[in-house]
Amino acid sequence: WGADILKEVIINFLSGATIPLAFMPAVLSDVLNILPFSSLSYTPVMIYMGMYSPTEIAIRMGMQVFWLAFMIVMSKLVWKHAVKRLCSQGG
C-alpha cells in the first residue's frame, strides 16, 4: 500500500498534477515536458484551456506516439529476455 501511494505521489508530481509544469524552473519543466508523464495531466489541461497551438498539439501527440512505440519495443525486449530465463516445472 505504501509503495503504491509513493508511486502515485511521484507520478502526480512528474505529470504536473500537483504543481503545474509552468511553475517549475525552466530546466526541470523542459525535462518533464519531454518525459511521458506530462501527457497524463498537464498536456490535456493545456489543450483544453487553449494554451497550445495546433502545431504544439501535433508535437505533443507525436511525443505520445514516440513514447508508445518506445514502451512497446522495451516491453518486447524485456519479455524476450524473461522467456529465455524462464524455467517452468510441472504442468
Side-chain angles (χ1 to χ4, degrees):
W1 177 75
D4 189 50
I5 296 295
L6 180 63
K7 176 195 65 124
E8 290 297 323
V9 167
I10 292 171
I11 288 175
N12 283 337
F13 178 75
L14 295 177
S15 70
T18 306
I19 301 170
L21 300 182
F23 293 158
M24 295 184 183
V27 174
L28 183 61
S29 177
D30 291 343
V31 170
L32 293 178
N33 272 319
I34 293 171
L35 295 175
F37 301 108
S38 67
S39 298
L40 297 173
S41 297
Y42 187 72
T43 301
V45 169
M46 296 301 280
I47 291 171
Y48 179 74
M49 291 174 38
M51 303 299 284
Y52 285 160
S53 67
T55 304
E56 184 73 19
I57 292 171
I59 291 169
R60 299 294 176 168
M61 294 298 167
M63 286 176 53
Q64 288 183 14
V65 169
F66 164 76
W67 281 111
L68 175 65
F70 177 78
M71 294 298 176
I72 288 172
V73 168
M74 290 304 295
S75 67
K76 288 189 182 286
L77 288 174
V78 168
W79 179 260
K80 188 180 289 186
H81 182 71
V83 167
K84 286 180 183 178
R85 295 181 142 276
L86 179 67
C87 179
S88 178
Q89 302 293 327

